[in-house]
């Protein structure tokens, strides 16, 4: 299990990049904090649900639906994970 509160933003970012590359067969070099999950990385709504499920499996924490819907970029995703860690969600 990944302990979010033990990781810095940069550490979480690297972990998210690795996860995205593994799950969706993406080139890590093509992923930046500004990469749009949908437009740039070609992740569709089904993939997004799979990602949310994987994050819950790996962290034991679930992204709130309103937070999940607001995520557009890789940076947004990392910020949401940092928020979960800070609020103990």
């Amino acid at each position: 299990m990944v302990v979010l509160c033990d990781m810095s933003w940069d550490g979480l970012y690297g972990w998210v990049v690795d996860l995205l590359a593994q799950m969706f067969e993406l080139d890590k070099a093509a992923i930046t904090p500004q990469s749009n999950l949908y437009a740039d990385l070609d992740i569709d709504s089904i993939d997004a649900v799979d990602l949310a499920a994987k994050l819950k499996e790996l962290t034991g924490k679930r992204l709130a639906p309103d937070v999940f819907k607001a995520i557009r970029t890789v940076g947004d995703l990392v910020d949401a994970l940092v928020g979960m860690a800070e609020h103990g969600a």
Side-chain angles (χ1 to χ4, degrees):
M1 180 120 8
V2 175
V3 181
L4 297 176
C5 60
D6 289 348
M7 298 175 79
S8 65
W9 195 96
D10 290 334
L12 275 171
Y13 171 73
W15 180 76
V16 167
V17 168
D18 288 344
L19 182 63
L20 291 170
Q22 175 188 6
M23 285 185 71
F24 306 112
E25 298 177 0
L26 300 170
D27 177 7
K28 289 182 193 180
I31 302 172
T32 70
Q34 296 79 29
S35 295
N36 184 291
L37 295 171
Y38 308 101
D40 299 330
L41 303 181
D42 204 26
I43 292 173
D44 63 24
S45 58
I46 301 296
D47 292 336
V49 170
D50 290 343
L51 177 60
K54 187 68 166 179
L55 288 169
K56 183 174 188 277
E57 174 189 328
L58 294 173
T59 66
K61 300 176 187 290
R62 185 174 76 87
L63 284 168
D66 58 324
V67 172
F68 181 71
K69 288 178 187 174
I71 293 171
R72 294 288 174 256
T73 67
V74 175
D76 292 344
L77 178 56
V78 175
D79 289 342
L81 292 173
V82 168
M84 284 178 17
E86 289 174 350
H87 297 99

